[in-house]
Amino acid sequence: MINCKKCESTSYVKAGTIRGHQRYECRLCGCQFTNTKPRGVSPLLRNLGIILYAHHGVPMAGVARLFKVTTVAVLKWIRKASDKIAMEPSSASKATLIQVDEMWHFVNGKKTKFGSGEPWMGYHVELSPGTWGIVLTQA
């Protein structure tokens, strides 16, 4: 059974062809559509990609490679998901102070031109409730 892509109605009439596919026009909303396979990644896989990016540190390019989409598509997924999150800070959250002075001197202080030249990836890890640490690894 064919349904309208906009209002899910089953009331439609034929409205010509496009690129070899029959086109239909919905009698209720007037939307023109074809009976073709939906494009893109399923919502479940899209949510998995967002979780991999946000919580497990997988870069956008890695998520894009995994799901065979462009990095721009992954960026749109992330922006759409972030729009759903409430922008007001919760009353239970509190600010914490993180001192990274010693790490900055170690990473930025080396002025050698030798080494692997690999970029560094930084991960924040909760050591205990209220205590955070930063782990740096080469990507």
Side-chain angles (χ1 to χ4, degrees), residues 26 34 47-48 52 55 62 74 88 96 107 120 123 128 130-132 139:
C26 179
T34 58
N47 291 340
L48 175 63
L52 288 173
H55 297 291
V74 177
E88 282 185 31
T96 58
V107 174
W120 288 82
Y123 300 98
S128 64
T131 306
W132 291 83

Side-chain angles (χ1 to χ4, degrees), residues 29 60 72 80 85 115 120 122:
C29 68
M60 278 194 297
V72 174
K80 191 173 182 181
I85 298 172
W120 288 82

Side-chain angles (χ1 to χ4, degrees), residues 117-139:
E118 294 286 326
W120 288 82
M121 296 285 284
Y123 300 98
H124 64 286
V125 180
E126 186 172 6
L127 301 172
S128 64
T131 306
W132 291 83
I134 297 175
V135 178
L136 293 175
T137 61
Q138 283 190 335

Side-chain angles (χ1 to χ4, degrees), residues 2-139:
I2 302 171
N3 293 338
C4 173
K5 306 280 181 175
K6 193 173 183 181
C7 69
E8 299 294 323
S9 170
T10 56
S11 177
Y12 55 86
V13 293
K14 289 185 176 182
T17 59
I18 185 166
R19 293 186 210 103
H21 295 282
Q22 178 66 52
R23 179 182 276 177
Y24 302 97
E25 183 177 359
C26 179
R27 288 184 175 175
L28 296 178
C29 68
C31 175
Q32 292 192 355
F33 60 94
T34 58
N35 187 24
T36 54
K37 180 179 147 189
R39 294 174 51 189
V41 178
S42 74
L44 293 174
L45 290 177
R46 189 179 309 141
N47 291 340
L48 175 63
I50 293 168
I51 290 170
L52 288 173
Y53 172 78
H55 297 291
H56 297 288
V58 178
M60 278 194 297
V63 174
R65 214 175 307 115
L66 183 66
F67 295 116
K68 296 181 179 138
V69 296
T70 64
T71 53
V72 174
V74 177
L75 178 63
K76 287 180 181 179
W77 299 348
I78 294 165
R79 285 183 178 167
K80 191 173 182 181
S82 68
D83 288 342
K84 293 180 182 178
I85 298 172
M87 298 313 278
E88 282 185 31
S90 66
S91 60
S93 65
K94 65 176 189 172
T96 58
L97 179 66
I98 300 174
Q99 185 175 359
V100 292
D101 185 45
E102 293 176 19
M103 187 60 68
W104 180 84
H105 284 292
F106 175 75
V107 174
N108 199 24
K110 289 192 170 192
K111 303 294 182 195
T112 62
K113 293 185 179 181
F114 303 101
S116 65
E118 294 286 326
W120 288 82
M121 296 285 284
Y123 300 98
H124 64 286
V125 180
E126 186 172 6
L127 301 172
S128 64
T131 306
W132 291 83
I134 297 175
V135 178
L136 293 175
T137 61
Q138 283 190 335

